[in-house]
Amino acid sequence: MAFPDDVLTEDEHVVLHLHPHWKALIRPVVVLLLAVAAVVASIVLLPAGTAGTIGMWVVVAAAVVAVVPFAIWPWLVRRTTHYVLTNERVLLQHGVLSRDRRDIPLNRVNDHSMSQRFVERLLGCGTLTIESAGERGQSVLVDIPHVERVQTTLYELIEANHDKHTLGDGEMREILKEARETRPAGETVQ
């Protein structure tokens, strides 16, 4: 599911849009393959007749009961979890039936760190922790693909946002120069 553009402000644009790493789908794929194998085995191995048909439908029902919560639901959760970095904020959204979204303005990010276990390093994912000013404090984003690159991009966005919203020495000199030139005669600038 694409992230809706209508939640972005006029001057805002998406820099990175991520879902959790594909490793989150390993268990669901294994469950799905086992369920399909069980159904195929029941069709092939169970004898023809009423008892075989009933047994096959029991296996099919058990496969469906296993596939929905352990294969389909995790896939839906992954598809509806969005980690979005824009030039103005970090958007965290998740939820299949209901939706929760957290917006963290870049100027409120105090600290960000990443961690990777050995297997995560091999797979190219990790955990990104964003600490922000406010009530909620930390946001922990798990299974972030290419977490090192995401952390670097977040740092660059924070610095660019800071530079955009602060005056440099040259800009301050220009403002003071204009103020001196436009003041009425006899008035001093303090």
Side-chain angles (χ1 to χ4, degrees):
M1 299 182 179
F3 195 78
D5 289 334
D6 62 349
V7 301
L8 303 177
T9 62
E10 187 176 312
D11 297 331
E12 189 174 19
H13 63 275
V14 173
V15 176
L16 279 177
H17 180 195
L18 306 165
H19 294 283
H21 192 263
W22 59 263
K23 84 170 185 149
L25 295 178
I26 292 173
R27 187 177 306 151
V29 168
V30 169
V31 168
L32 182 63
L33 291 174
L34 290 174
V36 169
V39 169
V40 169
S42 71
I43 292 170
V44 172
L45 299 175
L46 290 176
T50 306
T53 304
I54 290 173
M56 181 195 66
W57 284 111
V58 168
V59 171
V60 168
V64 168
V65 166
V67 164
V68 170
F70 298 114
I72 295 174
W73 187 258
W75 178 78
L76 287 172
V77 167
R78 181 183 179 274
R79 292 292 302 147
T80 58
T81 300
H82 300 272
Y83 303 129
V84 180
L85 300 180
T86 74
N87 60 322
E88 294 182 9
R89 58 187 163 161
V90 178
L91 295 148
L92 312 172
Q93 180 174 297
H94 62 89
V96 177
L97 301 176
S98 63
R99 183 174 301 158
D100 294 319
R101 182 171 57 224
R102 178 158 187 216
D103 296 359
I104 305 171
L106 292 176
N107 61 356
R108 308 256 302 163
V109 174
N110 293 336
D111 187 35
H112 49 88
S113 61
M114 68 102 181
S115 63
Q116 288 180 303
R117 291 177 283 179
F118 178 69
V119 173
E120 291 175 328
R121 287 187 69 191
L122 293 176
L123 295 175
C125 64
T127 300
L128 182 66
T129 304
I130 301 173
E131 188 175 319
S132 63
E135 294 177 12
R136 293 191 186 174
Q138 288 188 342
S139 295
V140 180
L141 291 65
V142 295
D143 291 337
I144 300 293
H146 310 290
V147 69
E148 299 104 339
R149 189 177 70 204
V150 173
Q151 184 187 22
T152 301
T153 302
L154 178 59
Y155 175 78
E156 291 168 350
L157 288 170
I158 291 168
E159 289 302 310
N161 184 273
H162 180 267
D163 292 346
K164 175 180 161 184
H165 289 53
T166 56
L167 293 175
D169 288 340
E171 294 168 313
M172 185 57 81
R173 283 189 205 110
E174 281 294 316
I175 291 171
L176 290 173
K177 181 180 175 184
E178 287 177 19
R180 285 185 192 115
E181 292 171 356
T182 58
R183 71 173 188 253
E187 189 176 311
T188 61
V189 176
Q190 298 180 4

